[in-house]
Amino acid sequence: MIEAAAPTYFRLYVWERPVRAFHWVNATAVLALAITGFVIGNPFRMAYAAEAYQQNWFGTVRFVHFAAGWIFLVAFVARIYWGFVGDQYARWRHYIPHTRWQWREIVEVLRIDIFQTKVSGEFSSGHNALAGLTYSVSFLVYAFQIATGFALYASMSDAWVPSLFVWVVPLFGGDAGVRFWHHAAMWFFILFTMIHVYLVFYHDYVEGRGTTSSMVGGWKFARVDTLTAPDQSDEACEPDEPAESG
Amino acid sequence: MAKPDASIWRLMESKGYSRREFVHFCRFAAITAGVGVAGLPRVVEAFQSRPRPPVVWLHFQECTCCSESFIRSSHPVVADVLFDYLSLDYTETLQAAAGHQAEAALHDTMRNHPGEYILLVEGSVPLGNDGVYCTIGGRTAQDILAEAAEDAAAVIAWGSCASNGCVQNASPNPTGATPIHKLIGRPVINVPGCPPIADVMTAVVTHLLVMGSMPELDNRGRPREFYGKRVHDTCYRRPFYDAGLFVESWDDEGAREGYCLYKMGCRGPVTYNACSVTRWNEGTSYPIQSGHGCIGCSEDDFWDNGPFYRHLPDVPGFGIESTADKVGAAAAVAAGAGLALHAIVTNVRKQSEIHKRIAGSVQETEIGEGGDD
Ligand code: HEM
Ligand code: HEM
Ligand code: SF4
Ligand code: SF4
């Protein structure tokens, strides 16, 4: 318990530039895709010209959706690549709980998030293990959305990439089934964004070490008095520093 | 009837057609089969040297709309091929024979022309309760199909019933209705639609006759030529779709203006068929031209993808009128409420923790030189 003396903090560089670039490109693409996708599924009434040839807004909405879909795909593939070559915080090991320590952290974070127990355990400086797991699961949904999206897109495009996904269609019985599930999965992205942004703010609030801004500048902060030597090896799934307590 | 293995030209000749009329007919056939006028010599060659192939047309669980469609082909000369010049040896609906005589004709064809006859199947095959839901002459549809498919030169599945099960295979599929490509271990040409377009049917048969081979098929066994594009891709209302001008209700101004039927549940964007190209009834019209959305009649499970007048189907397990958006919005509202509650509880429960932290933080005035960084 340190109350009198102000604690000193280290800066930790947790999100490399490619990770931050991915984050904001991805977030922008997802927002664009969810909004345009929603409109494609529920077009509103809009007539600003008398004749069909004079307006093209629905075509434009669809164009934005497909353009954002390409960006979404490229960013996704780049991020997966970075998961194999990036620093310890970006590595795939961080995202797939495979050590006992990670499972313990998941339980710990659940207690803090749901029962709002005191933050006293040892936290990863990068994603905590539960956050990492959530991102891996959402990456499966990303893959699903890309597969169904490009499978639908294959009938509208002569490009090579969409044609790689035509095998998806028979799995759903036809384009109608693909479209239904593609549409339903949109709600995952909406729920994810709500909860994700809330939890970023919440953890920032209760951990007090700059979680929100970390995705902008790349820095998180760790108290000198509790920081153990940061582990620079690839296997850095162990805690590298206990979180602030009280 | 002329000798069974006479060629089509011999048959026409014996009926008094001129050579000129024969070539004229071949030109129709060439165009219908998709080989174009350039392929004419090939067609002439095929029709004057090859014996006409015998045809067996089986009917199982179906409504005969495929047969009805077929006899309304817009090139009667091509339809004639089947009825006059092919030897249509067995088809329950149109044959003259009945009872034992008919069964005998079927067996003669299969016995005398193994590897030569074309098998056309209309209707699905029920597998439930050992197939009792469809029997002919005391035998189950499954039995008859297996025997007939064994030695056929080619097998065509007419319509959605034979290609994907259609209405009798809709949930809960009480008779175990099964499309035929799932029952026989050989390639089947699927010609889905409820019914398929007459001109597409004749074209597929003509292709078999002229080329002596199967047309190019897609990954679901459908001829690419007719099922490679969506109804939506060549729909004449497409400009309204791109412009975002939609019919909002059946009797609004947009409906009168011929706006796009997307919001009325049109399945054109998810349906592969040639309706908007060939149209129906000698190219007269097609459903969308008559003001009604496409119901996706050539797609698998189209009965289960309803309601027809809504963009997306109901969510299974959530009751009637539960669209994906209603379920999703309910989840989002619940999540939003949960997060708001969580935020409030956080501030209550963590009050002392936060206060301690505020108390322990430094005022700028307290910091000496180099306090930061
Ligand atoms: C975050 C990711 C995405 C979300 C939330 C999303 C959402 C949606 C939604 C809600 C629809 C409307 C479905 C309907 O008609 O009811 C849609 C349609 C579509 N999406 Fe996506 N989508 C995403 C990614 C993609 C990707 C990566 C592609 C690939 C190019 C794609 C291609 C399409 C296509 C082709 C359609 C059909 C458009 C049409 O009917 O013309 N989507 N999307
Ligand atoms: C104002 C909006 C947002 C803010 C402030 C924000 C902030 C953050 C932060 C701070 C992290 C790291 C969290 C940690 O320490 O575990 C993060 C990670 C992540 N966020 Fe967001 N986020 C926002 C919106 C979104 C949106 C809309 C999406 C997409 C649906 C998204 C997807 C992700 C993903 C996939 C990661 C993991 C990144 C990686 O490991 O490469 N974020 N975000
Ligand atoms: S009416 Fe149907 S098929 Fe035609 S453009 Fe509109 S959605 Fe497409
Ligand atoms: S427009 Fe659609 S529902 Fe109508 S016949 Fe063609 S494919 Fe079937």
Side-chain angles (χ1 to χ4, degrees):
Chain A
M1 283 291 156
I2 306 151
E3 290 209 31
T8 314
Y9 281 81
F10 266 145
R11 271 176 196 280
L12 286 177
Y13 190 52
V14 286
W15 312 129
E16 296 170 289
R17 215 170 284 190
V19 173
R20 285 176 281 145
F22 160 77
H23 182 271
W24 294 112
V25 169
N26 175 256
T28 312
V30 166
L31 289 178
L33 285 163
I35 293 168
T36 53
F38 189 86
V39 173
I40 292 169
N42 308 272
F44 43 83
R45 200 189 294 227
M46 180 160 76
Y48 53 80
E51 297 291 342
Y53 72 90
Q54 293 167 316
Q55 65 175 57
N56 190 46
W57 75 263
F58 198 62
T60 307
V61 167
R62 289 174 62 245
F63 172 78
V64 172
H65 192 80
F66 307 148
W70 280 108
I71 293 168
F72 182 70
L73 170 73
V74 172
F76 179 63
V77 172
R79 181 62 184 86
I80 291 188
Y81 169 74
W82 200 254
F84 291 94
V85 301
D87 72 7
Q88 49 159 320
Y89 302 110
R91 287 278 163 139
W92 65 270
R93 287 191 186 82
H94 229 77
Y95 297 79
I96 298 166
H98 60 287
T99 63
R100 186 182 300 203
W101 185 84
Q102 283 171 307
W103 285 109
R104 243 190 293 127
E105 190 178 61
I106 287 176
V107 173
E108 177 68 10
V109 174
L110 281 175
R111 285 177 45 214
I112 289 168
D113 285 359
I114 297 175
F115 301 114
Q116 306 186 317
T117 55
K118 247 182 156 188
V119 181
S120 61
E122 301 174 324
F123 269 152
S124 307
S125 291
H127 301 307
N128 66 54
L130 180 65
L133 176 62
T134 312
Y135 302 136
S136 336
V137 171
S138 59
F139 272 28
L140 294 179
V141 183
Y142 283 27
F144 176 86
Q145 201 69 339
I146 285 168
T148 52
F150 277 96
L152 287 172
Y153 192 49
S155 63
M156 316 167 195
S157 162
D158 294 327
W160 169 69
V161 172
S163 71
L164 299 178
F165 292 95
V166 291
W167 57 272
V168 172
V169 175
L171 304 181
F172 293 88
D175 280 20
V178 178
R179 181 170 79 173
F180 173 78
W181 288 108
H182 186 76
H183 187 118
M186 168 186 71
W187 288 100
F188 169 85
F189 288 85
I190 293 173
L191 290 175
F192 173 90
T193 303
M194 289 172 65
I195 297 171
H196 167 70
V197 174
Y198 176 80
L199 281 182
V200 167
F201 289 5
Y202 171 74
H203 276 265
D204 195 328
Y205 193 42
V206 300
E207 289 179 33
R209 52 193 191 131
T211 306
T212 312
S213 67
S214 71
M215 230 358 124
V216 179
W219 308 102
K220 276 193 189 178
F221 298 89
R223 280 170 59 158
V224 173
D225 54 341
T226 54
L227 185 68
T228 55
D231 185 347
Q232 294 299 337
S233 77
D234 279 347
E235 272 75 21
C237 290
E238 300 81 43
D240 36 31
E241 142 271 359
E244 168 185 358
S245 49
Chain B
M1 271 229 173
K3 286 213 314 285
D5 19 349
S7 71
I8 287 173
W9 163 232
R10 286 275 158 259
L11 284 159
M12 287 182 81
E13 205 182 18
S14 72
K15 290 204 171 181
Y17 285 98
S18 69
R19 180 73 185 175
R20 191 187 182 82
E21 281 163 320
F22 168 68
V23 173
H24 185 69
F25 160 72
C26 287
R27 189 178 302 127
F28 262 122
I31 291 165
T32 309
V35 295
V37 180
L40 183 58
R42 227 167 132 182
V43 180
V44 172
E45 172 61 22
F47 283 1
Q48 69 187 6
S49 60
R50 234 182 276 152
R52 59 186 181 148
V55 170
V56 170
W57 185 317
L58 297 177
H59 298 252
F60 300 131
Q61 288 181 296
E62 47 91 336
C63 73
T64 316
C65 78
C66 300
S67 300
E68 287 288 346
S69 175
F70 188 74
I71 59 178
R72 283 161 183 76
S73 163
S74 56
H75 302 295
V77 71
V78 177
D80 278 355
V81 172
L82 271 159
F83 295 120
D84 286 355
Y85 307 118
L86 290 179
S87 49
L88 198 55
D89 292 320
Y90 182 86
T91 170
E92 282 98 342
T93 319
L94 298 165
Q95 66 200 356
H100 293 299
Q101 236 184 332
E103 296 304 316
L106 174 60
H107 280 102
D108 286 349
T109 307
M110 295 196 292
R111 196 165 341 104
N112 300 336
H113 301 277
E116 287 170 20
Y117 63 91
I118 298 175
L119 176 63
L120 311 176
V121 184
E122 186 173 346
S124 58
V125 173
L127 299 185
N129 283 338
D130 297 326
V132 296
Y133 300 113
C134 179
T135 62
I136 301 164
R139 297 175 64 202
T140 63
Q142 194 183 1
D143 248 19
I144 299 170
L145 175 67
E147 189 189 0
E150 177 104 16
D151 289 322
V155 184
I156 299 181
W158 278 154
S160 290
C161 297
S163 311
N164 60 47
C166 208
V167 69
Q168 57 276 27
N169 151 294
S171 176
N173 189 1
T175 64
T178 309
I180 67 159
H181 65 88
K182 294 203 176 142
L183 297 172
I184 57 181
R186 53 178 300 167
V188 173
I189 305 172
N190 286 327
V191 186
C194 187
I197 304 168
D199 297 326
V200 169
M201 299 173 80
T202 45
V204 173
V205 174
T206 314
H207 186 107
L208 279 177
L209 292 181
V210 172
M211 313 294 281
S213 65
M214 303 234 274
E216 194 198 340
L217 305 180
D218 68 10
N219 64 358
R220 282 190 278 164
R222 303 171 301 192
R224 259 183 215 287
E225 197 182 341
F226 306 105
Y227 296 91
K229 288 264 172 236
R230 300 172 301 163
V231 170
H232 181 65
D233 290 321
T234 49
C235 177
Y236 79 106
R237 298 193 184 208
R238 182 62 189 261
F240 293 106
Y241 171 86
D242 291 324
L245 294 172
F246 302 108
V247 174
E248 308 277 341
S249 76
W250 290 114
D251 50 4
D252 70 359
E253 183 58 27
R256 282 189 287 279
E257 295 280 339
Y259 284 3
C260 168
L261 295 161
Y262 185 73
K263 290 178 81 171
M264 304 309 291
C266 179
R267 299 287 192 266
V270 289
T271 302
Y272 293 79
N273 207 342
C275 303
S276 50
V277 179
T278 65
R279 313 213 173 181
W280 288 77
N281 301 320
E282 303 179 33
T284 307
S285 180
Y286 70 118
I288 292 163
Q289 195 172 339
S290 312
H292 192 285
C294 168
I295 61 170
C297 76
S298 56
E299 288 290 313
D300 290 17
D301 306 330
F302 76 101
W303 293 101
D304 291 332
N305 285 334
F308 291 145
Y309 301 109
R310 219 162 51 204
H311 177 66
L312 290 180
D314 287 334
V315 183
F318 280 85
I320 294 173
E321 292 288 303
S322 52
T323 61
D325 287 342
K326 281 187 192 159
V327 176
V333 168
L339 294 178
L341 190 67
H342 191 277
I344 293 166
V345 175
T346 301
N347 280 291
V348 173
R349 293 204 42 169
K350 299 228 176 242
Q351 215 170 16
S352 68
E353 210 176 322
I354 302 289
H355 275 216
K356 262 187 206 154
R357 199 180 298 152
I358 292 168
S361 72
V362 185
Q363 299 295 307
E364 216 176 337
T365 49
E366 298 172 22
I367 302 173
E369 288 85 60
D372 189 17
D373 262 337

